[in-house]
Amino acid sequence: MTQPSLLSTNEVRDRFSKAMSAMYQAEVPQYGTLLELVERVNQETLSQQPELHRRLEAQGELARLSVERHGAIRVGTAAELSMLRRLFAVMGMYPVGYYDLSEAGVPVHSTAFRPIDDDALAMNPFRVFTSLLRLELIESEALRQRSEEILAKRDIFTPGARELIERHETQGGLTSEEADQFVKEALETFRWHQDATVDLETYQALHDEHRLIADVVCFRGPHINHLTPRTLNIDEAQRRMPEMGMNPKAVIEGPPRRECPILLRQTSFKALEESIRFAGDAQGTHTARFGEIEQRGVALTPKGRALYDQLLTEGRKQTAGLDNDAHQTVMQNVFAQFPDNDEAMRREGLAYFQYHLTEKGQAAKDVGSADIEALIAQGLVEAQPITYEDFLPVSAAGIFQSNLGGAESEAYAGNANRDAFEEALGAQVTDELSLYAERENASKAKVLASLKK
């Protein structure tokens, strides 16, 4: 009897991300408007910048642009986080990076579940930024205990999802039919629920401590609170959002506008106020879900990241209370110290690059040289920026705060605890910078080996 063929984790991820996008569009119709806006801006940008079009096509990023999304969820317990790790593994998504959001006044720490290898990223780079609530940072012992009691009573996974996760682990994958059932079951974890699991008084007490705590504790599951498409021109998307009935946040998070984008820039439309029925039939509202857009640039090396962090800190001191245009002007002035040129960033070791043979290089025979710089000068090799696939804690906190209405809280600051997070996760997180360094080094080795043939 022949064994049924098992689907690749890439295919499961692709099915799931598309199903989640359809679900979220049904729940938040403005998300569909956001997708239309991003698609229009992207097409215009590609037609205006043929070199960008060529580079994205050469790097295999053009095809993924239309399906690229990242979601964000928040969970309340170590058991929930650990099971999510197993759920995302079914889709070939692994925990990359540790983010301490307490440094920006939000009582969570986080990782991003995402695909890791080049082929997986090229097919569908779906990511889910996943935060664990840090109950130990809640000052009130009574609120902390009440939160623990509430969270202990819920199961955010369906029995079917648990069974299929175990099946994936024991048989090494899922059949096409099982994958479709898995997608259906797993979506239930991320679905919006209008019924809270607590009474209005409990919700209000948690809300007054921090809105994010109420969002995590008071519902049956970690509803997806945004899905983020990738734009090639976030400034233009931000400018057009009001024309399409969306109220954008005041400023774009992350680095300023540049000729050669770095890391990640993010903006969003303000969170929706949604009707909620609380235990005891009281009616109220809750604000959590919003629309976000991102623009991705080159990944920075430790040296580049240190310079970015230094300049960001300087810029934030000067931009409090400014509107987006004034904010961008100040940030651009501060970031004038950061080279806005791919070649300069590469030569100074500020960013990661992937090396490819040019057409001339592909035709060359037994060059023999192992000097990458000489090969570039001869036109045999070219360097292309490696796209940053990860997140920025200060930017993530800025998005959270603008949509949860919370100011920064000094009470949570300076509480990084990667060991505790990894213990809750049940695994170590992968260091994102090591992934970029490996990719750069592998591409160098590949071109050098090709030129010696």
Side-chain angles (χ1 to χ4, degrees), residues 192-252:
W192 174 249
H193 300 289
Q194 287 188 308
D195 293 323
T197 58
V198 302
D199 57 37
L200 183 56
E201 185 181 358
T202 300
Y203 171 86
Q204 201 62 53
L206 292 168
H207 178 281
D208 291 347
E209 172 74 18
H210 196 291
R211 283 194 188 189
L212 186 141
I213 297 170
D215 185 58
V216 175
V217 173
C218 299
F219 296 90
R220 280 160 43 198
H223 38 259
I224 191 86
N225 56 62
H226 62 271
L227 274 180
T228 304
R230 177 180 167 190
T231 183
L232 298 173
N233 187 340
I234 199 166
D235 301 285
E236 183 60 18
Q238 170 99 345
R239 188 186 69 78
R240 292 192 195 179
M241 283 168 77
E243 297 170 12
M244 301 190 72
M246 290 175 271
N247 180 19
K249 71 184 294 296
V251 298
I252 294 170

Side-chain angles (χ1 to χ4, degrees), residues 53 194 197 253 266 329 395 411:
H53 189 287
Q194 287 188 308
T197 58
E253 297 286 345
Q266 295 169 280
T329 299
S395 293

